[in-house]
Amino acid sequence: MWQAARGGKELRPLVGDLRQLASVRRIILDEGPERGVQALAFSTGGGLDFWVLCDRSFDIGPLWWRGTPIAWQSPSGFASPYLRDPHGDGGFGFERLFSGFLVTCGLEHIRQPADGKPLHGHLPFTPGRLLSHGEDWDAAEPVIFCEGETTQARLNGERLRLKRRIEAPIGGAVLRIIDEVLNIGRRHETVAVLYHMNFGFPIVGSGTTVSLNDSPLLGPLHDVDLQAQPTVRCFEVGDQSQARCVIRRENSGLRRGTEAIVSWETSTLPHAQVWHDLRPYSQVIGIEPVTSAREYRINQDVPSIAPGNAMPFSLAVSFADF
């Protein structure tokens, strides 16, 4: 396999352009409600492909593993944030645009609307500023990457900036999200962050299981349940420095089995939620590393950042067949 520990210097004589093997390309969507959305198309060359949506907080839209779609999508697609107010309808506007592999929720609020704050806060679907992107073939570990920032600021409200780097080893099957939330205001700010990762068919179906640190949480699932209702549960991840949540399905119909592993640093993400809607025409499981338990107290259980300081977050998602 060309991917095995071979850098650009060794591979350059074998191709006309190294982007034949792995690349990040800027694209603009141009159809229906998605028209004008700017994105970055990642292809690792190892079977992992995904789009980073610059106009939607540098979250991840479609994602494929070896050509198989993994990310759940809603009928609304990846609608442009300029099309309508994503925080309208009494704070529930988020549901109109809920689509894709990753939606980052926060930064001042997560979960249900409260105290005038919309569902999952003001960050989702906020356009970001792209700082850099490309292929780094000369690094010790060659990667494709992008870096950007999204600012959430309101008069007499929070002033926070999310700086994000997404990288994926060339020839590999893993993506990494390295975030930093910076307080650019003049007062202490509480920070609430929830990484909402949506998995859909065919990794979600009969036989799918979900585990957290090797303890079963969900499944094996049965066939589509006409009586199923959306359900969410929250778990503490324990004392270990890293958490590991695995979603897997045997005999998915395309290969013997596929699994995705979500891992993250627990110092700033000490909880995990598993959300699922297994009704017909939905069939989605959400894995959600999060800063606080569901019944949190804003002044005690949510971390805060002093002016000029930052809070780091680190996650990775890897894929494999078995």
Side-chain angles (χ1 to χ4, degrees):
M1 295 290 288
W2 68 265
Q3 299 96 325
R6 301 177 70 177
K9 185 175 182 180
E10 184 177 352
L11 289 167
R12 280 189 179 95
L14 305 180
V15 293
D17 187 336
L18 285 173
R19 288 179 298 174
Q20 172 185 329
L21 304 177
S23 65
V24 182
R25 300 177 188 270
R26 296 186 70 167
I27 60 175
I28 298 178
L29 308 187
D30 193 29
E31 187 175 29
E34 300 176 341
R35 178 166 295 161
V37 172
Q38 300 180 77
L40 298 167
F42 278 64
S43 180
T44 68
L48 179 60
D49 301 272
F50 56 93
W51 293 358
V52 174
L53 306 176
C54 306
D55 281 340
R56 292 177 57 168
S57 314
F58 291 95
D59 281 335
I60 298 173
L63 182 147
W64 301 265
W65 166 240
R66 293 188 172 174
T68 299
I70 297 293
W72 184 85
Q73 295 185 34
S74 80
S76 62
F78 307 107
S80 169
Y82 307 108
L83 182 65
R84 54 197 174 193
D85 179 7
H87 307 302
D89 295 344
F92 286 92
F94 172 79
E95 295 189 3
R96 294 202 307 265
L97 301 174
F98 169 71
S99 188
F101 181 72
L102 172 65
V103 177
T104 307
C105 305
L107 297 165
E108 87 294 4
H109 175 72
I110 54 176
R111 304 187 175 100
Q112 296 300 312
D115 301 323
K117 298 173 182 177
L119 180 72
H120 284 317
H122 284 87
L123 179 69
F125 320 116
T126 300
R129 184 166 74 98
L130 179 63
L131 301 177
S132 63
H133 73 285
E135 306 88 26
D136 189 351
W137 286 91
D138 298 320
E141 179 190 46
V143 295
I144 52 179
F145 71 94
C146 73
E147 294 182 345
E149 61 183 29
T150 306
T151 300
Q152 179 182 323
R154 295 185 296 152
L155 183 65
N156 299 323
E158 72 281 354
R159 297 187 180 186
L160 299 167
R161 177 168 291 151
L162 173 65
K163 300 186 71 173
R164 170 165 289 176
R165 177 181 172 92
I166 295 179
E167 65 179 28
I170 291 174
V174 59
L175 68 89
R176 305 185 190 113
I177 303 166
I178 302 101
D179 282 352
E180 182 181 72
V181 176
L182 177 67
N183 183 353
I184 59 174
R186 59 181 177 270
R187 68 186 191 188
H188 279 72
E189 295 289 352
T190 56
V191 174
V193 180
L194 183 150
Y195 292 88
H196 187 93
M197 300 183 188
N198 295 309
F199 294 86
F201 177 85
I203 200 171
V204 174
S206 179
T208 296
T209 61
V210 179
S211 63
L212 175 64
N213 297 335
D214 298 324
S215 296
L217 300 184
L218 181 66
L221 299 184
H222 302 294
D223 293 329
V224 174
D225 186 353
L226 297 176
Q227 305 301 318
Q229 294 297 315
T231 302
V232 60
R233 292 188 295 165
C234 190
F235 307 87
E236 290 189 23
V237 295
D239 297 329
Q240 57 259 56
S241 61
Q242 276 211 335
R244 183 174 182 269
C245 195
V246 180
I247 178 170
R248 69 193 325 254
R249 185 186 181 195
E250 297 185 27
N251 302 318
S252 62
L254 299 176
R255 52 183 62 92
R256 288 175 307 199
T258 299
E259 70 176 14
I261 302 172
V262 181
S263 58
W264 66 91
E265 299 288 339
T266 61
S267 56
T268 51
L269 294 167
H271 300 271
Q273 284 186 182
V274 175
W275 175 89
H276 57 84
D277 184 351
L278 302 177
R279 294 175 295 181
Y281 307 103
S282 292
Q283 290 290 286
V284 55
I285 294 176
I287 294 175
E288 304 173 338
V290 60
T291 51
S292 62
R294 297 198 75 202
E295 301 298 329
Y296 66 92
R297 294 160 295 178
I298 191 67
N299 294 322
Q300 298 182 37
D301 298 335
V302 178
S304 65
I305 309 177
N309 287 4
M311 181 178 297
F313 299 91
S314 178
L315 307 92
V317 187
S318 61
F319 300 87
D321 295 333
F322 58 89

